[in-house]
């Protein structure tokens, strides 16, 4: 894949005696959304964690922007996650003490922006995700669907090159889940962010451009979009 | 509604499987409940709501109206002369209202798909020593390809598009779950089929 922003070849990872990845390959281009599917325990979350530099594989190579991820120090990988990667989890994992705008501004604050500049940059993302009216509310005062939109805004606020979304609609009803997927994929395509989307739900995977299936730690590509 | 060549297959399948099953005659009767119409108006009402890529032919409309007339479910309310043939205005009768009511309140028989083509293919692949898992993966990819198309159409579509696509997507999802489950049971199935 010539324009790949993130690639992985031959990834192996074992937890104790349990193999989670047994030679997984992966590649994603800028602006592309790839669904990672597979049964529970197949290794898809481990693949996501390796690709995001959260855990290091036992073997194999991950290349991001011409750099070998395993050659970076913990601090360098943390900096990468703060500034160039975005994350959306099944449960928004918003900071409950902060308002929505403060949550979205948080990754910008962590990369050195002043509070004012960070919140000014965060507001358009809340607008884009259709939750600007909730800017001053705390996560406990909003619904799960609204919280997930705030989480997507937070993931995109730093203009990441790669967004990692782990079951981003798993806790939402169908209509809310679909809207979150529409907003996530639209925003990612518009900003040329690549999205690694881990899901067990085929209707969510259908928002992606293509899918990878993980079985027993191996990946199988299921082909590109028509 | 927006259409692409890729979607013709899907639309045709759903027009045949859902809309035609509704039967044209009951649909026309339903339209006539709102007030008397010409055949021309009925055709356009049908095409606008249910036609998608399979609009009704005028011949289908008039032959259906002729049958409804014979069965006493509609009547000719008036004739309007014009440059061409005279135009009849059709109205629904009391018997027609009863008939369409009965049809609407009668639940459709759910399909059970007890002996699907996919199952037959999997068993035959095992029996003939072919790679059944590969077959299931190929089918899965094809299902997801269609789901992506429908999702794209749904995302940019109106409410009618969304509802039609959702119906298709939920059925495809059910198939995919079956494909996943069968893949997980392929070793056991192979042992049973070969025993």
């Amino acid at each position: 894949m010539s324009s790949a922003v993130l690639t992985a070849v031959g990834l192996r990872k074992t937890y104790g005696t349990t193999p989670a990845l047994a030679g997984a390959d992966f590649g994603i281009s800028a602006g592309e959304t790839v669904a990672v599917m597979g049964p529970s325990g197949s290794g898809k979350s481990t693949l996501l964690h390796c690709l995001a530099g959260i855990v290091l594989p036992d073997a194999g190579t991950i290349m991001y922007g011409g750099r070998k991820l395993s050659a970076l120090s913990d601090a360098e990988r943390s900096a990468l996650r703060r500034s160039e990667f975005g994350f959306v989890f099944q449960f928004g994992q918003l900071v409950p003490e902060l308002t929505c705008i403060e949550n979205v501004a948080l990754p910008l604050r962590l990369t050195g922006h002043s509070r004012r500049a960070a919140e000014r940059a965060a507001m358009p993302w809340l607008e884009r995700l259709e939750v600007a009216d909730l800017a001053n509310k705390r996560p406990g005062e909003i619904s799960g669907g609204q919280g997930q939109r705030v989480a997507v805004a937070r993931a995109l606020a730093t203009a990441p090159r790669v967004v990692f979304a782990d079951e981003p609609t798993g806790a939402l009803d169908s209509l809310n889940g679909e809207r979150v997927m529409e907003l996530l994929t639209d925003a990612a395509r518009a900003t040329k962010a690549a999205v690694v989307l881990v899901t067990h739900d085929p209707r969510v995977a259908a928002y992606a451009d293509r899918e990878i299936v993980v079985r027993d730690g191996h990946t199988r590509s299921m082909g590109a979009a028509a | 509604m927006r259409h692409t060549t890729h979607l013709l297959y899907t639309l045709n399948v759903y027009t045949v499987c859902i809309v035609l099953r509704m039967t044209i005659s009951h649909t026309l009767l339903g339209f006539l409940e709102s007030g008397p119409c010409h055949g021309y108006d009925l055709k356009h009402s049908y095409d606008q709501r249910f036609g998608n890529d399979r609009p009704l032919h005028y011949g289908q409309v008039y032959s259906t109206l002729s049958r409804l007339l014979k069965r006493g479910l509609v009547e000719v309310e008036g004739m309007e002369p014009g440059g061409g043939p005279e135009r009849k205005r059709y109205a629904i009768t009391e018997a027609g209202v009863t008939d369409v009511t009965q049809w609407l309140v009668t639940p459709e028989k759910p399909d059970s798909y007890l002996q699907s083509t996919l199952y037959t293919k999997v068993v035959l692949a095992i029996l003939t020593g072919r790679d059944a898992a590969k077959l299931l993966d190929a089918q899965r990819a094809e299902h997801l390809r269609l789901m992506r198309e429908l999702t794209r159409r749904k995302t940019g579509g109106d409410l009618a598009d969304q509802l039609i696509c959702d119906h298709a997507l939920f059925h495809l999802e059910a198939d995919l779950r079956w494909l996943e489950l069968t893949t997980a049971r392929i070793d056991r199935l192979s042992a049973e089929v070969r025993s």
Side-chain angles (χ1 to χ4, degrees), chain B residues 149-163:
Chain B
E149 279 187 25
L150 290 166
T151 300
R152 277 199 292 271
R153 174 177 171 173
K154 186 177 126 171
T155 304
D158 57 20
L159 185 59
D161 275 328
Q162 289 168 14
L163 292 173

Side-chain angles (χ1 to χ4, degrees), chain A residues 38-148:
Chain A
S40 297
S42 59
K44 52 188 190 297
S45 286
T46 302
L47 176 63
L48 182 139
H49 291 153
C50 286
L51 293 172
I54 296 168
V55 298
L56 288 176
D58 301 330
T61 307
I62 301 168
M63 297 294 292
Y64 168 73
R67 286 174 289 179
K68 200 170 170 181
L69 223 54
S70 57
L72 303 178
S73 67
D74 281 352
E76 285 171 325
R77 278 187 283 117
S78 290
L80 197 67
R81 286 196 296 274
R82 277 199 304 273
S83 58
E84 297 191 38
F85 294 169
F87 294 88
V88 186
F89 300 100
Q90 181 169 355
F91 301 100
Q93 298 192 347
L94 300 173
V95 181
E97 292 80 9
L98 300 181
T99 62
C100 291
I101 186 100
E102 287 167 343
N103 264 286
V104 177
L106 187 60
L108 293 163
R109 298 289 311 276
L110 293 173
T111 52
H113 289 68
S114 70
R115 177 181 178 156
R116 194 170 167 187
E119 293 190 4
R120 200 165 51 229
M123 197 59 194
W125 286 105
L126 285 176
E127 286 166 3
R128 184 163 197 153
L129 273 294
E130 303 170 344
V131 282
D133 54 328
L134 306 175
N136 295 313
K137 292 198 179 295
R138 288 189 165 74
E141 300 173 295
I142 62 177
S143 71
Q146 291 166 333
Q148 206 60 343

Side-chain angles (χ1 to χ4, degrees), chain A residues 37 39 178 182 201-203 206-211 213 215 220 222 224-226, chain B residues 137 140-141 144-145 147-149 151-152 154-155 166 169-170 173 176-177 180 183:
Chain A
M37 302 188 76
E178 285 178 9
E182 281 173 21
D201 185 343
R203 300 188 74 217
Y207 283 89
D209 299 305
R210 61 187 171 90
E211 67 155 346
V213 174
R215 281 202 198 102
R220 293 189 195 190
M222 287 296 171
Chain B
D137 274 350
R140 179 194 170 89
L144 262 159
R145 186 193 62 75
M147 286 183 79
R148 279 194 293 269
E149 279 187 25
T151 300
R152 277 199 292 271
K154 186 177 126 171
T155 304
D166 269 338
L169 283 164
F170 279 119
E173 182 187 9
L176 269 174
R177 291 192 188 286
E180 193 62 49
T183 302

